[in-house]
Amino acid sequence: MAASPPSLGPDASLTCETIDRAARNQAANVTLTTAAERALQRSRDALDEIRDQGDAIYGLTTGFGPLLTHPAAEAGPAQSDQLLAHLSTGSGAWAAPDVVRAMVLSRLQSLAQGHSGVRLSTVRSLLRLLEAAPPPAVPEIGSVGASGDLTPLAHAARAYTGKGHMLDEHGTRVDADTALQNANLQPVSLDARDALAFVNGTAFMTGTAALALARGRRLLERAEALTGWAYRLLGCSLEALSPQLHSARGHNGQEESAAAIRTEATRTDTADQSDRPLQEVYSLRCAPQVLGAARDQFQYARNLIETELNGVNDNPVIDPEEPAALHGGNFQGQQLAFAADALNEAITQIGVLAERQVDVLLSPDQNGGAPPLLAWTPGPTSGLAGAQLTATALVAELRQNAQMAATSSIPTNNDNQDVVSMGALAARTAHEQTERLAPILAVLGLSLAQLTHLRDAGRADGPAPPPPDWMPSVEPIVEDRPLRDEIDSLARRWRIPDSS
């Protein structure tokens, strides 16, 4: 059943999967709830009252960052333009369109809580542009995750005002005003508070971490299913998957992973093979413990990401009750940095486990006596030898990029931002790690398929239970062939499904 269109507001709770689906579907028809419209209008009225009282309001009556003690420019378009212009720096490649959409959705959900003082008309205009305009050109590098994600959000804001850049259908940067005209769209007009509220939040790291979690969770479930297929194909004893065994330890994730592996392992009536050892190697026997720990880590990260996704990360925060402008640090992204680092750890270890399972399948002393490297004719052909090298290289890449970002603070901004989260770096890295994990799982899937073909053809002993229905049909590797495209196709399929 198709998911319902996402709504934004204090009465709408977004999940990582909601963000993932909407980020991949520009026609997602995102709407504001009635509660969001009321809250937005109320916070704007409160902001006007606070300003009329003569109270200091950061970024509206003051300069920015360490220039706080200097008076602001006249609170109009000039102040907004200056803010967005000086923040539109950054470096690196352009962020993918789905990452940019995830970022903007995350920011609009925070604004829709009604504690930022932005105009209702502004949020409506931004939603319309999100749905109909080309994606803004946003550089991947430039945020330290302290005062929110200033640089990536500034690039998006300038694009929506028609003064920045967008990406055409080929991923080429084009002038935003031209792109909007070609789409018959009007740019949004941002006043000083609108502009600061849009850029002063954790949306880049939140949106990117949400994508990393949603995609990483799909790969985790695929790793469990592949492990179950390996159990079934090799005829491993199901004792290591016993519910009683795992409930005795008490970790929820471990019990859930064991159940998921057991479901695939018992898909067909395949008896344990008598020549299997009493205890399998750890990559099979301890798979529920390893993948279960990843499940628990994902749940920890989910709690942080989704709390941030549905909360208010801004400065100042408008309290409509007083009314008051509360100056603080809700835009500091430490929670997101910790969550993304946790995802990174889990994703990396899933890859380590899967690569070891590939080795089990390719080794005659562990694969039930099938040919080495699952070669159809050992010697003249080499089977999965090259594919295993790819899996090994990818594990090295995972490990090299499994460094903590959340503790790598570097003071900046004239020491105003003297402790920063590096949450954007952590989130980007976790998201990129899913791109490394997926092809390792693809190699594992190809290896299982090849062992099935070898047994079907009588070139390896043992039964050949049918592949699971989620595994696409794969031709046997009778003569060596390039496997790059097949690996990439499976990796894409399992990381980002075709349907929403």
Side-chain angles (χ1 to χ4, degrees):
M1 185 174 69
S4 58
S7 298
L8 307 181
D11 55 340
S13 183
L14 300 187
T15 66
C16 295
E17 287 74 19
T18 306
I19 291 292
D20 181 52
R21 285 192 299 269
R24 289 185 280 115
N25 179 15
Q26 187 160 2
N29 193 27
V30 183
T31 59
L32 288 174
T33 67
T34 301
E37 294 182 344
R38 287 197 298 262
L40 284 161
Q41 189 58 58
R42 191 175 179 215
S43 74
R44 184 65 182 203
D45 292 343
L47 176 67
D48 291 340
E49 185 175 345
I50 296 164
R51 181 169 45 192
D52 291 345
Q53 291 170 180
D55 294 351
I57 305 172
Y58 171 72
L60 202 58
T61 64
T62 74
F64 304 112
L67 302 176
L68 175 71
T69 57
H70 295 265
E74 183 179 348
Q79 188 174 357
S80 167
D81 290 347
Q82 295 282 17
L83 170 68
L84 300 181
H86 94 268
L87 292 174
S88 292
T89 54
S91 186
W94 302 121
D98 57 350
V99 171
V100 175
R101 275 183 61 80
M103 175 186 75
V104 177
L105 279 166
S106 175
R107 191 70 204 126
L108 293 180
Q109 171 67 343
S110 179
L111 299 179
Q113 305 307 301
H115 289 281
S116 295
V118 298
R119 292 173 297 175
L120 172 58
S121 61
T122 296
V123 177
R124 285 173 172 162
S125 294
L126 289 168
L127 266 178
R128 184 174 66 254
L129 292 170
L130 174 69
E131 295 299 298
V138 174
E140 291 184 328
I141 301 170
S143 171
V144 297
S147 187
D149 292 312
L150 296 169
T151 292
L153 284 163
H155 278 275
R158 288 198 84 228
Y160 288 140
T161 62
K163 296 176 182 176
H165 297 89
M166 291 177 167
L167 299 178
D168 65 17
E169 64 272 20
H170 306 295
T172 302
R173 191 177 75 159
V174 296
D175 288 338
D177 58 346
T178 302
L180 291 174
Q181 288 176 25
N182 291 341
N184 294 316
L185 295 168
Q186 292 297 315
V188 65
S189 175
L190 302 177
D191 69 11
R193 181 56 202 152
D194 293 336
L196 182 60
F198 188 80
V199 303
N200 228 15
T202 62
F204 182 80
M205 62 185 103
T206 303
T208 306
L211 295 183
L213 190 143
R215 295 170 189 191
R217 178 57 186 256
R218 281 196 290 273
L219 295 176
L220 167 61
E221 292 171 352
R222 183 61 60 220
E224 291 169 339
L226 287 163
T227 300
W229 185 10
Y231 262 78
R232 183 161 55 89
L233 185 57
L234 294 173
C236 302
S237 169
L238 299 181
E239 191 173 320
L241 305 177
S242 164
Q244 292 78 14
L245 175 73
H246 297 286
S247 65
R249 194 177 194 188
H251 289 293
N252 291 338
Q254 180 179 323
E255 292 185 63
E256 292 166 1
S257 280
I261 296 168
R262 192 166 58 247
T263 296
E264 183 57 52
T266 57
R267 178 187 290 265
T268 56
D269 294 329
T270 303
D272 298 349
Q273 293 185 26
S274 58
D275 58 348
R276 298 304 300 179
L278 175 66
Q279 296 188 148
E280 298 286 350
V281 293
Y282 282 20
S283 61
L284 293 172
R285 183 176 16 136
C286 298
Q289 287 78 7
V290 175
L291 298 176
R295 273 185 175 257
D296 289 337
Q297 193 88 317
F298 274 50
Q299 186 58 50
Y300 158 77
R302 179 185 295 278
N303 290 340
L304 293 178
I305 295 166
E306 292 182 354
T307 297
E308 187 78 6
L309 182 59
N310 295 291
V312 180
N313 43 88
D314 205 343
N315 182 49
V317 170
I318 305 302
D319 176 8
E321 298 291 339
E322 281 293 327
L326 307 175
H327 294 88
N330 275 11
F331 49 35
Q332 213 276 1
Q334 197 68 60
Q335 292 93 337
L336 276 302
F338 284 151
D341 276 354
L343 286 176
N344 192 339
E345 285 182 333
I347 290 166
T348 298
Q349 194 65 1
I350 295 168
V352 170
L353 181 79
E355 188 276 336
R356 289 292 79 206
Q357 291 176 347
V358 170
D359 192 68
V360 167
L361 294 168
L362 271 60
S363 301
D365 59 343
Q366 298 187 81
N367 66 13
L373 303 175
L374 300 181
W376 202 264
T377 309
T381 66
S382 298
L384 274 295
Q388 185 180 23
L389 293 176
T390 295
T392 305
L394 285 163
V395 169
E397 294 273 340
L398 283 170
R399 286 175 169 165
Q400 180 67 26
N401 288 281
Q403 307 299 316
M404 288 189 298
T407 56
S408 57
S409 175
I410 303 173
T412 188
N413 197 227
N414 200 28
D415 281 347
N416 171 50
Q417 298 180 23
D418 58 345
V419 178
V420 304
S421 73
M422 294 299 178
L425 173 59
R428 278 179 44 231
T429 305
H431 185 254
E432 291 164 1
Q433 293 286 66
T434 67
E435 296 178 355
R436 300 180 179 104
L437 172 58
I440 299 175
L441 298 179
V443 173
L444 178 55
L446 291 174
S447 301
L448 288 162
Q450 178 71 350
L451 179 53
T452 302
H453 288 310
L454 286 165
R455 288 185 174 176
D456 263 338
R459 305 182 83 85
D461 294 334
D469 53 13
W470 45 260
M471 180 68 188
S473 177
V474 176
E475 291 296 317
I477 306 170
V478 177
E479 298 291 337
D480 290 338
R481 64 176 185 263
L483 295 175
R484 165 65 188 267
D485 290 347
E486 291 172 68
I487 292 171
D488 284 352
S489 176
L490 272 178
R492 282 193 301 270
R493 182 188 186 104
W494 290 346
R495 181 172 177 264
I496 304 175
D498 292 333
S499 63
S500 298

